Amino acid sequence: MRVIAHNVPYTFGGAQSVVDVSSAASGEVLAAGVRKYLLLQNIGSNNIYLTFDGDTASSTTGFKVVAGGSIEFATAVPNGQINGIADTATTKLAILQG
């Protein structure tokens, strides 16, 4: 028996943005929404900490994204509000979602 699998392409209507993540207080990085894909890349020079459930982000409660690092969600994608805080100075975070 032979099984042939096909990948069905879809049009990716992604939106790209860049946000500032403050070091002063945890704040909203991205509002809650329905997403099928999410890529977050720290394009700044300081570490960023992110939470994906709307809770306050800190160095003890968030996922650490080092300078130049990224987090990609391609299958199980969080749809809650994303909050973030930077280590020592405001840092840029690039976002691609679709």
Side-chain angles (χ1 to χ4, degrees):
M1 177 177 183
R2 185 174 173 193
V3 176
I4 300 174
H6 295 280
N7 288 330
V8 179
Y10 76 98
T11 303
F12 179 71
Q16 181 176 333
S17 60
V18 175
V19 298
D20 288 328
V21 179
S22 171
S23 62
S26 175
E28 181 179 295
V29 172
L30 189 60
V34 178
R35 305 176 186 102
K36 294 182 180 180
Y37 178 83
L38 179 63
L39 173 64
L40 304 162
Q41 183 179 23
N42 181 348
I43 58 175
S45 56
N46 297 297
N47 297 328
I48 295 174
Y49 301 90
L50 301 171
T51 58
F52 298 92
D53 58 0
D55 284 346
T56 301
S58 73
S59 62
T60 59
T61 61
F63 289 87
K64 183 178 183 178
V65 184
V66 297
S70 62
I71 297 178
E72 180 181 32
F73 297 94
T75 53
V77 182
N79 287 311
Q81 177 181 316
I82 300 171
N83 289 330
I85 191 166
D87 260 347
T88 57
T90 298
T91 301
K92 300 238 181 251
L93 181 69
I95 301 169
L96 178 62
Q97 64 176 328

